Amino acid sequence: MKKTAFYYIHKKLGAKMVDFVGFEMPIQYEGIIAEHKAVRNSVGVFDVSHMGEVQVHGPDAAKFVQKITTNDVTKLNVGDVQYSAMCYENGCVVDDLLVYNCGDYFMLVINASNIDKDIDWIEQSITDEDVHLKNISDETSLLAVQGPNSMATLQKLTDVDLSSMPYYTFKFGQMAGQDVIISRTGYTGEKICFEIYSSSNKEKSEALWNAIFEAGKEFDIKPTGLGARDTLRLEYAFRLYGNDMDENINVLEAGLGWITKLDKGDFTGSEALKKAKADGLKRKVVGFIIDDRLIARHGAEIYSGDKKVGVVTSGNISPMLNKNIGLALLDEGYNKIGTDIEIDIRGKKIKAKTVKTPFLK
């Protein structure tokens, strides 16, 4: 298995390590609930160096990224970040991603499970555009520093005025004496949040980790694993590739119409998506809450009476609400807010109700 530059720190901290898309990654340290609440109440740090980073260079970089993504790249100024998706011709999802406008090139941040697949698909999408790709995934470490005290922690380590950075913007700068990209982004739902792209050199990465934890000591900063990352993103109904969207679910069905600009001109999958919207969606991903101690996991079947009407795409506990929540792909007629459904959990049909998301207000 691959190891990130922080692997030995995780082991030293006693993290429970698991195989995650070919990387040996920490699923938890102290415990998922404690780590989740540390992010919501103060500050937590995730190693997300397994994510992929691909640069798009060339005179036609903007035009090309506009063609392969669903959102409108023309709205990005230099230093802006955009959440977007890439679709096949049928409108189903290749991947969701972040798009960074770095001035003379774009950076695409893609899911770890999809790096090889995405790059192959992007390369095959190049027709007459003058662009070339540079995969910098292996040379990039990425730490997500998230929560109300993340800004106060990181401001000690940089001359960049973090308070002046709007949500979904980034700056090139220094952090603890290292050249980095400081990004006001994250996957937790916290608006005070940062992601730090740096060198994957082991000594530099460990020095950066240690500096952040020393700066955050007064805030009881905690290392946070992928387990809490999942519960945190689910409380805000953030979609997860492979669960809530994939090559069999189109981007509108996934509930990502807000990042799908059908009026921006042609892009890969746009014709199929326009038709799907005109015809009316036959199914859609929506949120649900269970008033029961059982958690509905990915793949659990959903019923209305004896009729199967959908499937759970994501499910877990909400530590802040102390309720079991989830996302489900539900058929037309059953995905309106306030609909009563039943979920088959271990052979028992459990009552649930569709609700407006995000779950955490």
Side-chain angles (χ1 to χ4, degrees), residues 227-239:
R229 189 168 182 252
D230 190 53
T231 55
L232 286 158
R233 68 94 188 171
L234 188 55
E235 283 186 335
Y236 277 83
F238 290 167
R239 278 33 172 184

Side-chain angles (χ1 to χ4, degrees), residues 66-121:
Q66 180 80 328
K67 182 182 84 170
I68 64 169
T69 62
T70 62
N71 213 329
D72 190 353
V73 174
T74 66
K75 303 298 184 184
L76 290 179
N77 295 316
V78 176
D80 286 346
V81 190
Q82 187 178 73
Y83 181 52
S84 193
M86 299 183 293
C87 293
Y88 297 105
E89 289 290 356
N90 64 0
C92 292
V93 183
V94 177
D95 204 0
D96 63 328
L97 73 160
L98 294 181
V99 178
Y100 285 70
N101 184 347
C102 300
D104 55 351
Y105 68 94
F106 286 80
M107 182 171 74
L108 312 180
V109 182
I110 55 182
N111 282 299
S113 59
N114 292 337
I115 293 173
D116 292 339
K117 180 199 76 174
D118 285 3
I119 292 174
D120 286 345
W121 182 85

Side-chain angles (χ1 to χ4, degrees), residues 288 296 299-313 327-331 334 340-344 349-350 352 354:
F288 65 83
E301 295 181 343
I302 300 177
Y303 291 86
S304 177
D306 293 329
K307 182 181 180 182
K308 182 184 173 185
V309 297
V311 64
V312 172
T313 57
L327 297 171
L329 183 62
L330 287 169
D331 293 343
Y334 302 92
D340 292 318
I341 53 176
E342 291 183 308
I343 305 175
D344 188 339
K349 286 187 176 179
I350 303 298
T354 59

Side-chain angles (χ1 to χ4, degrees), residues 40-255:
R40 290 282 181 248
N41 297 324
S42 187
V43 56
V45 179
F46 304 83
D47 174 11
V48 284
S49 305
H50 60 309
M51 300 291 285
E53 294 85 17
V54 180
Q55 295 176 347
V56 183
H57 294 264
D60 294 332
K63 173 186 170 185
F64 179 68
V65 176
Q66 180 80 328
K67 182 182 84 170
I68 64 169
T69 62
T70 62
N71 213 329
D72 190 353
V73 174
T74 66
K75 303 298 184 184
L76 290 179
N77 295 316
V78 176
D80 286 346
V81 190
Q82 187 178 73
Y83 181 52
S84 193
M86 299 183 293
C87 293
Y88 297 105
E89 289 290 356
N90 64 0
C92 292
V93 183
V94 177
D95 204 0
D96 63 328
L97 73 160
L98 294 181
V99 178
Y100 285 70
N101 184 347
C102 300
D104 55 351
Y105 68 94
F106 286 80
M107 182 171 74
L108 312 180
V109 182
I110 55 182
N111 282 299
S113 59
N114 292 337
I115 293 173
D116 292 339
K117 180 199 76 174
D118 285 3
I119 292 174
D120 286 345
W121 182 85
I122 294 169
E123 287 178 337
Q124 291 170 18
S125 299
I126 301 173
T127 51
D128 59 347
E129 297 92 1
D130 187 358
V131 296
H132 65 276
L133 308 181
K134 184 179 180 182
N135 180 7
I136 62 167
S137 304
D138 288 343
E139 58 198 73
T140 305
S141 280
L142 178 56
L143 291 177
V145 186
Q146 308 277 297
N149 287 316
S150 59
M151 185 182 297
T153 296
L154 294 177
Q155 192 63 76
K156 298 178 183 181
L157 305 174
T158 183
D159 291 334
V160 173
D161 181 5
L162 302 181
S163 66
S164 70
M165 294 177 60
Y167 192 47
Y168 267 66
T169 64
F170 72 96
K171 290 185 178 180
F172 292 95
Q174 285 209 325
M175 182 74 64
Q178 297 186 35
D179 292 331
V180 298
I181 293 174
I182 303 170
S183 181
R184 183 79 184 266
T185 51
Y187 196 55
T188 62
E190 293 296 313
K191 289 301 185 289
I192 303 179
C193 58
F194 296 89
E195 293 180 305
I196 312 300
Y197 298 83
S198 65
S199 166
S200 64
N201 173 274
K202 178 177 177 292
E203 288 72 26
K204 286 185 175 181
S205 294
E206 290 183 345
L208 181 59
W209 175 286
N210 291 334
I212 291 171
F213 273 80
E214 182 62 30
K217 188 179 291 184
E218 67 171 297
F219 305 115
D220 195 22
I221 191 171
K222 289 187 184 297
T224 313
L226 296 179
R229 189 168 182 252
D230 190 53
T231 55
L232 286 158
R233 68 94 188 171
L234 188 55
E235 283 186 335
Y236 277 83
F238 290 167
R239 278 33 172 184
L240 178 64
Y241 184 87
N243 283 46
D244 312 304
M245 57 185 155
D246 57 27
E247 67 276 6
N248 298 308
I249 301 174
N250 78 44
V251 71
L252 300 179
E253 292 172 337

